[in-house]
Amino acid sequence: MCGIVGLFLKDKSLEPKLGAMLSDMLVSLSDRGPDSAGIAIYGPPAKGKAKITVQSASPKRDFEGLDLELGKALGAKVSIQVKSTHAVIEVPAAKMEAARDMLSELRPDIRIMGAGDAVEIYKEVGLPRQVVDRFGITGMGGTHGIGHTRMATESAVTTLGAHPFSTGPDQCLVHNGSLSNHNNVRRELKRKGMRFETENDTEVAAAYISSRLKDGSDLGEALDGTLADLDGFFTFVVGTRNGFGVVRDPIACKPAVMAETEQYVAFGSEYRALASLPGIAEAKVWEPEPAKVYFWEH
């Protein structure tokens, strides 16, 4: 079943409240997915810096001293902020890919949740309230974000199987539905150099978007491509460095509702996810049409 949310802020005065607003939206959908939950928050990028969000089942062992070891290996200053089982590692932007490669050597058990100039991704097994409290999401600010609470159907209940899935810099995706041709698409994307960490169908959708963007498509074109190349029932909400987009399959059997005001654009699997947003009574509220792409960018 699953529940997904997205929030794109137009009004800068709301940015300090992004984490709290997005958390409330996701918690309201807890009964749609009791297995795991996750949120991606896009904050203001630091000039010349990149962030890598990582997860470890043994954070004390894996995070202690990692900033010094990684900094020495890269020949650059590295900082780390630990949040429970996750940590956000800040490195020079020019060394982000080298840092990702070095992390697998220094800490083989660490898993990368996402990386880029602006995005931080937190996800774990558990209900949305447990996840947002664990990582202090309600205190985070930013420009936009997406979230997901999962009812597992296609793969095991694990941290890696939770959404959002990130397969490119500052890109991530959440999904309600099921893809029937994900194995074939995965093989095609592997031939193009895309790497996968799970057998989850949603990771394939995320990698498809990343591959299209890498090939020069804009977000709208990449989302439109899913309608021709991905089979199954799906609603996708995608986050990028500058915005977010939504698309539903042509049958559109998965529920979805959107709202727009002068302050924000919001998405939820059900209206209750939007009900506590400021000015919702005066918002334009609609059900996104089947096979139609919607996207907003700063």
Side-chain angles (χ1 to χ4, degrees):
M1 189 160 65
C2 300
I4 53 180
V5 297
L7 185 59
F8 176 86
L9 299 180
K10 303 176 184 179
D11 184 347
K12 287 186 175 295
S13 71
L14 291 177
E15 291 181 4
K17 303 176 183 178
L18 175 69
M21 294 168 70
L22 197 61
S23 295
D24 286 345
M25 292 171 69
L26 189 60
V27 169
S28 74
L29 299 180
S30 295
D31 59 355
R32 294 189 62 87
D35 300 324
S36 57
I39 282 183
I41 296 284
Y42 288 84
K47 188 175 181 179
K49 301 289 186 179
K51 296 185 286 188
I52 305 172
T53 311
V54 297
Q55 184 268 354
S56 172
S58 303
K60 182 173 176 58
R61 179 197 68 193
D62 284 334
F63 297 155
E64 189 170 343
L66 179 58
D67 53 341
L68 298 177
E69 293 179 51
L70 183 59
K72 183 178 180 181
L74 294 174
K77 183 179 179 181
V78 171
S79 63
I80 185 169
Q81 181 185 16
V82 177
K83 293 187 177 183
S84 185
T85 58
H86 287 46
V88 179
I89 303 169
E90 190 174 83
V91 301
K95 293 182 178 289
M96 185 179 75
E97 291 303 323
R100 290 183 64 134
D101 293 339
M102 189 58 63
L103 281 170
S104 65
E105 295 182 23
L106 294 175
R107 300 290 192 276
D109 294 330
I110 272 182
R111 294 292 177 264
I112 294 176
M113 301 289 99
D117 296 335
V119 73
E120 296 180 21
I121 297 176
Y122 301 91
K123 57 184 186 178
E124 273 292 2
V125 172
L127 290 166
R129 174 55 66 193
Q130 296 169 323
V131 172
V132 300
D133 287 348
R134 184 173 199 168
F135 299 115
I137 303 297
T138 57
M140 296 181 67
T143 55
H144 57 292
I146 63 177
H148 186 275
T149 184
R150 183 180 184 223
M151 180 176 286
T153 58
E154 293 292 331
S155 59
V157 178
T158 63
T159 301
L160 280 180
H163 304 205
F165 278 92
S166 179
T167 52
D170 283 316
Q171 298 161 20
C172 62
L173 178 146
V174 293
H175 171 209
N176 183 18
S178 179
L179 301 180
S180 57
N181 67 334
H182 61 95
N183 287 324
N184 289 337
V185 176
R186 184 184 288 107
R187 284 193 290 269
E188 293 174 9
L189 291 172
K190 281 183 176 179
R191 284 196 288 269
K192 294 182 68 174
M194 298 299 295
R195 294 184 292 182
F196 294 86
E197 295 197 47
T198 75
E199 295 301 314
N200 192 290
D201 60 335
T202 303
E203 187 178 18
V204 174
Y208 175 87
I209 297 291
S210 296
S211 179
R212 288 292 300 264
L213 293 174
K214 186 177 180 181
D215 289 344
S217 297
D218 63 25
L219 178 57
E221 292 167 339
L223 289 171
D224 190 60
T226 65
L227 298 169
D229 295 333
L230 301 181
D231 294 334
F233 303 115
F234 57 83
T235 297
F236 298 137
V237 178
V238 178
T240 69
R241 185 179 185 272
N242 298 320
F244 91 123
V246 174
V247 67
R248 303 170 81 195
D249 69 83
I251 297 176
C253 66
K254 297 300 180 182
V257 62
M258 300 194 72
E260 184 170 12
T261 72
E262 293 183 355
Q263 291 184 298
Y264 59 79
V265 180
F267 174 95
S269 292
E270 299 179 36
Y271 178 78
R272 57 179 158 149
L274 314 180
S276 63
L277 292 173
I280 190 65
E282 290 77 40
K284 174 189 174 184
V285 178
W286 76 100
E287 180 182 350
E289 295 180 20
K292 181 175 179 178
V293 171
Y294 302 82
F295 70 98
W296 292 260
E297 294 181 320
H298 287 117

